[in-house]
Amino acid sequence: MEEIEKLLLGYRTKGILVDSNLLLVYLVGMHDPNRVPLFKRTASFSTDDFYLLVRLISFFQTIVTTPNILTEVNSFSNQLTEPGRSNYYSEFAKQINLLDENYLDSAHISSLGSFQRFGLTDSGIAELALGKYLVLSDDLKLVTHLQSIGVDAINFNHIRALGWG
């Protein structure tokens, strides 16, 4: 717990990079918190998880993303149905304007050693965050890899288990 708090404080002004799954939870919840456990792509999360995520994200001055993360979130979001899908996209557009979007060249990302194992989005996260941003993810494989290469990362499931909130 002390290590997590140290990371949160250390990156508060630098920024947090939120992985696709958690950004989707955040965006669905910003539209309608009650939809988080009902939407198949976020059904493993509760409304309490959404509110915990909001508290975590709002702690940081900058929320960092990439076009690849936003594209994944958009693809997942396309599975939302009416009622509310159109209004969701209005909220999505509003939230995009609050994010610090960083572009990394796909040719460069695909030349990285991690590309074959992790693909474009996650390899881009590793490349962008190294020495700059804290990564928040619920993907144990990704978090473990990031930590092994010196990227500061927190597994959201560990925060859930601590009962924060």
Side-chain angles (χ1 to χ4, degrees), residues 7-155:
L7 287 171
L8 294 174
L9 289 170
Y11 283 93
R12 184 174 193 176
T13 59
K14 296 176 185 177
I16 189 165
L17 193 155
V18 181
D19 194 10
S20 304
N21 287 341
L22 294 176
L23 187 58
L24 180 65
V25 171
Y26 180 78
L27 293 169
V28 169
M30 291 300 285
H31 168 66
D32 179 0
N34 295 317
R35 200 159 190 183
V36 170
L38 302 176
F39 177 44
K40 79 175 188 178
R41 284 293 188 168
T42 58
S44 63
F45 296 91
S46 68
T47 53
D48 288 341
D49 293 329
F50 162 70
Y51 290 117
L52 173 58
L53 188 58
V54 168
R55 283 191 294 282
L56 277 170
I57 290 174
S58 66
F59 182 74
F60 293 87
Q61 291 181 4
T62 305
I63 306 163
V64 179
T65 195
T66 67
N68 302 91
I69 291 170
L70 291 174
T71 299
E72 281 190 2
V73 169
N74 184 71
S75 292
F76 298 150
S77 299
N78 276 330
Q79 297 173 20
L80 284 165
T81 58
E82 297 295 351
R85 184 177 190 270
S86 302
N87 290 336
Y88 165 82
Y89 273 103
S90 294
E91 182 65 35
F92 188 5
K94 187 175 12 171
Q95 292 299 320
I96 286 173
N97 287 311
L98 302 176
L99 302 173
D100 181 12
E101 186 176 5
N102 289 256
Y103 173 79
L104 293 173
D105 186 74
S106 296
H108 172 69
I109 296 170
S110 66
S111 73
L112 301 172
S114 62
F115 178 75
Q116 290 183 358
R117 184 169 172 216
F118 290 97
L120 198 61
T121 302
D122 291 350
S123 295
I125 288 171
E127 181 74 359
L128 179 62
L130 184 60
K132 291 169 139 180
Y133 306 114
L134 177 63
V135 176
L136 180 64
S137 178
D138 68 331
D139 181 341
L140 178 61
K141 180 180 158 187
L142 175 62
V143 170
T144 301
H145 169 69
L146 293 173
Q147 291 171 340
S148 76
I149 63 169
V151 174
D152 288 325
I154 296 175
N155 187 329

